[in-house]
Amino acid sequence: MINSSPQRVNEYESNGMYNKERAAALIVNTHSRRGQKFFRAAKDELTKQGISVAASYPVKYPERLPKVVQNAVKRKHKLIIVGGGDGTISSVVDYFACQDVVLGILPFGTVNSFARTLGIPLDLKRAVEVIVNGKVADVDLGKVDHDYFSNVVAIGLSADIARYISRRLKKYTGMLSYVLMGMRIMFSHRPIECTLTMNNEVFKFNTHQVVIANGGYFGITPFAQNATADDQELMVFVMDTPHRWHTLKLWIAFLLRKAAIFPQARFFRVKEVKLEALPSQCVEVDGEITTRTPVNISLVPEALKVMVPSQHYQGQA
């Protein structure tokens, strides 16, 4: 079962639920796909369901989000609710990591993979219900070198899509934007000479796609059976083929949420992996390009306290 936080007087009830009588800070990335539209609605819904919003921040410029969250943590808010997508959560999760502060998630992005992994509904009212009636879970985070991430690190096709796709296209076409950009890029995409050092072994692949996941979703599709955000493992996926057509079929299957079986798919469960590539590649971290290879990726177990549904998220068996 999922690990819930130990009881803290006046902060958490004995069953791991957050004490909803306490105040919360609300921080919304209004540059995210649904953030601007739902900021006021989120504030109203939280108040309606019994959460006292002590401070609220609509953040128009994503680069300001880390500082706003850092300041909220310094002000000793015990529950900080963040509205945005995977990139938003990943950009601020460093300030929640290994801290005595609980993250509440309002999934306002295009894909919301981390919210899907945790079982958080994409509907605003039901997402707020999780914050009000859910439980505090201790889930894992990953690290790319020294920076924390919540869900996925990738190189190859998905990283190139993240690099070139526009926020405007995502805002108006949603998931279709990834299909359109993937089709455009795939026909000129070159395979990568990738080296993975993990479990005291070195593996070499000629590939178009590598994914390292801390959780159960890659995009909107379940990534690997029984993978959760608290299983204390990273899942490494490599499409072991230089052929574009195989990778394109994989990408389409993921976008269509089809559980297709590919003989070229390779899966590994690890605690740490060194990722190298020739030529050097842009690294996508939760939908945003943040660095280049080579990188070291590691697991930090039980690093994040986050609100999850009390019944539906099963976590580690």
Side-chain angles (χ1 to χ4, degrees):
M1 295 296 292
I2 190 163
N3 298 315
S4 59
S5 296
Q7 179 179 0
R8 292 179 176 83
V9 178
N10 296 325
E11 291 179 19
Y12 308 110
E13 299 172 5
S14 59
N15 62 1
M17 289 184 177
Y18 186 80
N19 183 348
K20 63 183 179 183
E21 298 301 322
R22 293 183 64 86
L26 172 65
I27 301 169
V28 174
N29 176 9
T30 58
H31 201 59
S32 62
R33 186 167 183 243
R34 301 190 298 159
Q36 185 172 10
K37 179 180 178 181
F38 286 111
F39 170 71
R40 293 190 181 278
K43 206 173 166 184
D44 292 343
E45 189 63 37
L46 286 162
T47 302
K48 180 180 177 181
Q49 294 198 35
I51 296 288
S52 174
V53 181
S56 60
Y57 307 92
V59 182
K60 183 178 180 181
Y61 301 103
E63 61 270 18
R64 294 187 57 206
L65 281 164
K67 188 65 175 179
V68 175
V69 169
Q70 183 184 32
N71 288 338
V73 173
K74 286 181 178 179
R75 293 188 181 104
K76 305 297 182 182
H77 290 288
K78 292 301 182 181
L79 172 62
I80 299 175
I81 301 165
V82 177
D86 292 315
T88 297
I89 300 302
S90 194
S91 72
V92 303
V93 77
D94 290 66
Y95 302 104
F96 289 92
C98 306
Q99 298 294 317
D100 190 19
V101 58
V102 178
L103 169 65
I105 296 176
L106 297 178
F108 290 160
T110 305
V111 180
N112 304 300
S113 297
F114 192 53
R116 293 174 193 271
T117 290
L118 298 176
I120 297 171
L122 305 188
D123 172 75
L124 172 60
K125 181 178 179 180
R126 293 172 61 212
V128 171
E129 287 173 356
V130 170
I131 295 171
V132 175
N133 300 314
K135 65 181 179 181
V136 180
D138 296 312
V139 302
D140 307 330
L141 291 175
K143 264 189 172 182
V144 180
D145 292 330
H146 301 293
D147 292 327
Y148 287 93
F149 70 93
S150 56
N151 196 62
V152 162
V153 174
I155 63 170
L157 177 62
S158 64
D160 286 347
I161 291 171
R163 182 181 180 187
Y164 292 111
I165 198 168
S166 70
R167 293 184 183 275
R168 183 180 181 86
L169 183 62
K170 287 195 292 183
K171 181 177 181 179
Y172 290 107
T173 63
M175 285 302 303
L176 180 60
S177 62
Y178 290 90
V179 177
L180 297 173
M181 188 57 67
M183 294 288 288
R184 178 182 174 184
I185 291 175
M186 189 71 253
F187 294 106
S188 60
H189 198 266
R190 290 190 168 189
I192 305 159
E193 294 180 29
C194 174
T195 301
L196 296 169
T197 305
M198 51 193 174
N199 298 332
N200 297 317
E201 294 185 76
V202 177
F203 300 85
K204 293 184 180 292
F205 300 98
N206 204 11
T207 182
H208 288 274
Q209 185 68 68
V210 180
V211 179
I212 296 121
N214 169 50
Y217 277 82
F218 177 43
I220 62 173
T221 305
F223 178 69
Q225 191 174 16
N226 300 324
T228 68
D230 70 334
D231 58 11
Q232 300 191 10
E233 291 182 311
L234 296 170
M235 178 64 72
V236 179
F237 165 78
V238 183
M239 196 64 175
D240 187 13
T241 174
H243 299 296
R244 297 189 186 98
W245 174 236
H246 293 149
T247 305
L248 183 60
K249 286 196 296 183
L250 169 77
W251 186 247
I252 292 171
F254 270 122
L255 291 173
L256 295 178
R257 306 181 73 171
K258 301 292 185 182
I261 298 174
F262 294 90
Q264 302 86 6
R266 302 286 182 266
F267 290 92
F268 307 87
R269 292 182 181 269
V270 303
K271 303 284 187 183
E272 186 172 0
V273 56
K274 182 177 181 180
L275 174 59
E276 300 171 276
L278 290 174
S280 177
Q281 297 292 304
C282 291
V283 177
E284 171 203 356
V285 180
D286 289 330
E288 305 292 336
I289 301 301
T290 64
T291 186
R292 297 187 67 89
T293 56
V295 289
N296 289 293
I297 302 163
S298 57
L299 180 83
V300 186
E302 299 183 5
L304 176 67
K305 300 183 188 303
V306 60
M307 296 302 302
V308 300
S310 57
Q311 300 297 328
H312 300 294
Y313 182 64
Q314 298 300 315
Q316 185 176 353

